[in-house]
Amino acid sequence: MTHRVAIVGAGPSGFYAADGLLRDRPDLRIDLIDRLPTPFGLVRSGVAPDHQGTKAVARQFERLLAQPDVRFAGNVEIGRDLSWDELCQGYDAVIVATGMVIDRKLGVPGEELPHVWGSWKFVAWLNGHPDFRQGPDLSAVRHVAVIGNGNVALDVARLLAKSPEEMARTDIVPETGQAIAAAPLARILVIGRRGPEHASFTNNELAEMGRIGRAVALADAAALDVAAPASDPTPERLRKAKNLEILRGFAGNTPDSKPLSVHFRFHAAPIAIRPGEIELSTGTVPADLVVTCIGYRGEEPPTGEGVFTVGWAQRGPVGTIPTNRADSHAVAREVLAWLGRRDPKSGPDPMPRSTDAAGWHRIDKAEIAAGVPLGRPRVKLIDWKSLLDVAQGD
Ligand code: NAP
């Protein structure tokens, strides 16, 4: 008899927790439970479709799924298919890896207007998440306001700015790609409420904005006569200094050199949103679409004996996929210590009825096959019925 661990949420933190557990206890039985019939969470639904290199981390997770005592339980929603209490009773330990999937609110008037989108909904839409099939109407969108100065804001601006040719080898939902290509986009403003020396962009992601075929990156030179805060730790200061250098390069670009511009504007706090415009602390600018990229929140994770939390659910919506690896491994060590003090529970197999890894592999195969004639890595199945039909082998 061995211990059984349930991991709720089959995203990067959940897989890294499984990895951490198996390093010391390869005998453990681990069930990775997810609401979706597809694993990998944010890697599939959140990472930008043109960042296939980042998505390749899924190959590491596939190796874990291939372990004999690791099972994937897809299409299982805790609260619908079984309760947290039932889960805790059935397993020796439960790891909550549910992430943060609710867009934070700006808290300004007009935020509920239909042309205002949170980045989670927006990115989930173009990544084919089955719960987010309704996207914004882009057919008359010339001006976009992207609120926030983090990497998600860069993802959103870049995905709108890239040409169809630049998106051709990605796994963006093809209809979404076509809607972006057909939109009469003229200017994307990336809006920060503070100065550029506080932006949380990483260097490579910011520099990428300067290499887009149909869009010129611009920034206001006057805002760039600053230095990274001296009180910051050295790596942060270096990152910010490099960002400032990249932005100064953007400030030197010729505004009308390309049909589209991505313009970085700083010290501009949102005050109110109205149809066709956004009022900032610096003045009102046109905006036919507003995408807020200001972070996420999640449901309060359950607590109790033998319940552990990892990833964004544990420490908030900051940190890249590699950051989560170290954190999940640390929590896995706590779980192992907890298990070491307890005898394994006896009783029937607690795994709920679900779609499994074989079902996911049928989806994977179908998606990759659909991508081949188009030269794309895959064309995703994007509605629940198709996902479940293929997972169940229908
Ligand atoms: P983030 O880096 O925390 O950026 C959030 C931004 O929202 C900040 O600029 C913040 O400004 C702004 N903000 C918050 N509340 C606001 C308000 N009320 N009004 C105006 N602006 C507001 O978070 P993120 O961009 O969501 O990214 C989340 C994590 O995922 C980050 O660790 C990021 O690096 C990572 N990620 C990485 C990649 C990649 O590696 N390619 C891609 C996407 C995401 P203040 O600073 O003023 O609060």
Side-chain angles (χ1 to χ4, degrees), residues 37-49:
T38 52
F40 311 143
L42 203 79
V43 173
R44 182 174 165 99
S45 303
V47 171

Side-chain angles (χ1 to χ4, degrees), residues 121-381:
K121 269 168 70 183
F122 186 81
V123 174
W125 166 63
L126 54 80
N127 260 327
H129 190 300
D131 287 344
F132 299 92
R133 293 326 317 136
Q134 190 61 43
D137 176 4
L138 300 178
S139 59
V141 172
R142 277 174 52 73
H143 296 107
V144 183
V146 176
I147 314 288
N149 269 183
N151 281 335
V152 171
L154 294 178
D155 280 350
V156 168
R158 188 183 70 252
L159 291 166
L160 287 167
K162 276 191 169 177
S163 65
E165 295 72 37
E166 287 167 312
M167 294 301 290
R169 307 223 171 274
T170 75
D171 63 354
I172 192 169
V173 172
E175 297 77 19
T176 303
Q178 284 154 15
I180 294 173
L185 292 167
R187 186 175 74 168
I188 299 167
L189 273 187
V190 180
I191 297 166
R193 63 177 168 181
R194 296 194 288 162
E197 71 280 24
H198 299 292
S200 54
F201 310 135
T202 47
N203 299 149
N204 287 343
E205 280 66 22
L206 182 60
E208 207 182 341
M209 205 64 90
R211 298 191 295 267
I212 296 182
R214 66 169 181 170
V216 57
L218 303 171
D220 302 326
L224 301 172
D225 194 14
V226 283
S231 55
D232 277 1
T234 306
E236 272 293 273
R237 251 188 304 118
L238 293 176
R239 178 183 66 77
K240 289 176 173 178
K242 183 72 190 168
N243 275 352
L244 287 164
E245 183 189 319
I246 296 165
L247 287 164
R248 285 183 197 116
F250 293 171
N253 287 339
T254 309
D256 294 322
S257 53
K258 294 185 182 177
L260 177 58
S261 63
V262 177
H263 194 133
F264 290 82
R265 179 147 296 167
F266 298 99
H267 301 291
I271 307 283
I273 304 172
R274 292 181 285 272
E277 63 181 32
I278 179 165
E279 183 183 340
L280 304 167
S281 52
T282 48
T284 298
V285 293
D288 309 306
L289 170 71
V290 177
V291 187
T292 59
C293 307
I294 59 166
Y296 308 106
R297 60 185 183 83
E299 309 284 355
E300 197 54 40
T303 52
E305 281 232 306
V307 179
F308 302 81
T309 309
V310 293
W312 281 11
Q314 179 199 26
R315 51 156 219 284
V318 280
T320 56
I321 293 169
T323 324
N324 283 303
R325 184 169 181 273
D327 282 9
S328 287
H329 281 182
V331 174
R333 285 193 288 277
E334 288 174 38
V335 178
L336 291 172
W338 156 265
L339 293 174
R341 297 193 294 271
R342 304 171 65 85
D343 290 333
K345 285 180 182 167
S346 56
D349 184 350
M351 189 164 96
R353 233 175 88 84
S354 61
T355 60
D356 58 7
W360 151 242
H361 289 134
R362 280 191 284 275
I363 294 173
D364 192 34
K365 212 170 140 201
E367 291 184 342
I368 291 171
V372 170
L374 304 172
R376 291 180 179 269
R378 67 178 64 236
V379 174
K380 286 180 183 165
L381 296 172

Side-chain angles (χ1 to χ4, degrees), residues 39-64:
F40 311 143
L42 203 79
V43 173
R44 182 174 165 99
S45 303
V47 171
D50 62 335
H51 279 179
Q52 290 294 316
T54 308
K55 287 185 190 264
V57 69
R59 284 192 219 122
Q60 290 176 32
F61 303 152
E62 284 285 7
R63 286 200 282 278
L64 286 166

